[in-house]
Amino acid sequence: MSENTIALVTGANKGLGRETVRRLAALGWTVLLGSRDAGRGAATVDELQGAELEGAVEVLPIDVTSDESVEAAAKEVEERYGRLDVLVNNAGITGPRVEVRETGADAMQEVFETNVFGPVRVTRAFLPLLERSAAPRIVMVSSGLGSLTITADPARIESQILSLTYPSSKSALNMITTQYAKALPRFRVNAADPGYTATDLNGHSGHQTVTEGTDAIVELAQVGPDGPTGTYRDRAGEIPW
């Protein structure tokens, strides 16, 4: 059983996930790069290993929409490390770009399968390993689009985006975060809003770099046993639900 910090980041072969892996490995942690496509994940690991990181990066095949895949990943982590200290539920999709009035249940199901059911599926499977940690932490990668307060504020760019799928999935994830935080008092469970970051999800239109976009994620991944739990924050601080 390894004595250093062991972290898992889902959906990590590119974008915010990849940068989160890089930054956590730079802390000297052992970071498992979760990727649905094992080949792409391995290629990303090869790229990161050339960055002279103090920690180790290893690929972990995991499809957050599959019970079988998630259970196999948890078993592999148990066999290799015996525990998990930090879980970053990062995997997410925007789903089809459909007008609100044209959005059907099928589009909602597609997005919720990854953005809502995925984090629940992964968290439940890895809870036994997290419980073996001296300081278990879970970071849910949410969005400002999941905030009812922010999306109702005309001064915020988030209020200009009309969609039933992605914003509602992140609102659901926020509630899931608060419920886990209350149910797991020894854990630190928080939601991070990366902000408008240039990634594939928005066609690289965001004004923030991926490093800026991972600031809140990395900060919450490092909170101590007496740190905040059940909070929702971006890189500048706490934000309203």
Side-chain angles (χ1 to χ4, degrees):
M1 185 183 296
S2 176
E3 294 303 323
N4 71 329
T5 299
I6 311 297
L8 165 61
V9 183
T10 65
N13 66 287
K14 62 180 180 179
L16 292 169
R18 180 188 188 280
E19 181 64 2
T20 299
V21 169
R22 185 192 69 79
R23 293 183 67 179
L24 296 182
L27 298 174
W29 295 8
T30 294
V31 187
L32 307 178
L33 187 152
S35 177
R36 181 174 56 181
D37 186 312
R40 290 181 180 178
T44 303
V45 168
D46 288 341
E47 294 171 4
L48 291 173
Q49 286 177 337
E52 298 182 359
L53 302 173
E54 293 196 19
V57 179
E58 299 182 20
V59 67
L60 180 71
I62 182 169
D63 178 353
V64 303
T65 68
S66 164
D67 287 338
E68 183 180 60
S69 174
V70 171
E71 289 167 6
K75 183 177 180 180
E76 182 173 346
V77 173
E78 180 174 24
E79 292 174 349
R80 287 162 60 181
Y81 303 104
R83 75 170 197 281
L84 185 67
D85 300 298
V86 179
L87 170 61
V88 180
N89 281 306
N90 170 73
I93 61 172
T94 57
R97 299 185 182 279
V98 184
E99 290 186 6
V100 168
R101 63 189 299 164
E102 298 297 328
T103 301
D106 55 343
M108 298 290 288
Q109 290 172 342
E110 178 184 347
V111 175
F112 271 57
E113 188 62 55
T114 297
N115 297 5
V116 180
F117 308 146
V120 171
R121 180 178 288 112
V122 174
T123 300
R124 182 171 183 266
F126 281 88
L127 274 179
L129 295 177
L130 286 161
E131 287 171 339
R132 296 176 189 173
S133 172
R137 286 147 280 169
I138 300 173
V139 182
M140 304 291 194
V141 180
S142 183
S143 166
L145 287 169
S147 166
L148 300 181
T149 303
I150 290 174
T151 55
D153 182 354
R156 295 288 300 248
I157 189 173
E158 290 91 343
S159 70
Q160 301 171 28
I161 297 174
L162 300 178
S163 171
L164 290 186
T165 54
Y166 187 78
S168 65
S169 74
K170 293 303 184 179
S171 291
L173 184 61
N174 287 348
M175 177 59 76
I176 287 167
T177 301
T178 65
Q179 296 302 308
Y180 273 131
K182 290 187 290 184
L184 303 167
R186 194 172 70 84
F187 286 51
R188 302 296 91 180
V189 187
N190 296 284
D193 167 25
Y196 194 27
T197 303
T199 67
D200 287 352
L201 288 183
N202 56 40
H204 294 270
S205 61
H207 62 268
Q208 291 186 160
T209 66
V210 287
T211 300
E212 292 171 327
T214 54
D215 281 349
I217 301 171
V218 172
E219 180 177 350
L220 291 172
Q222 297 180 79
V223 296
D226 296 326
T229 191
T231 66
Y232 181 28
R233 64 170 298 132
D234 64 13
R235 64 193 301 260
E238 289 196 38
I239 59 177
W241 300 100

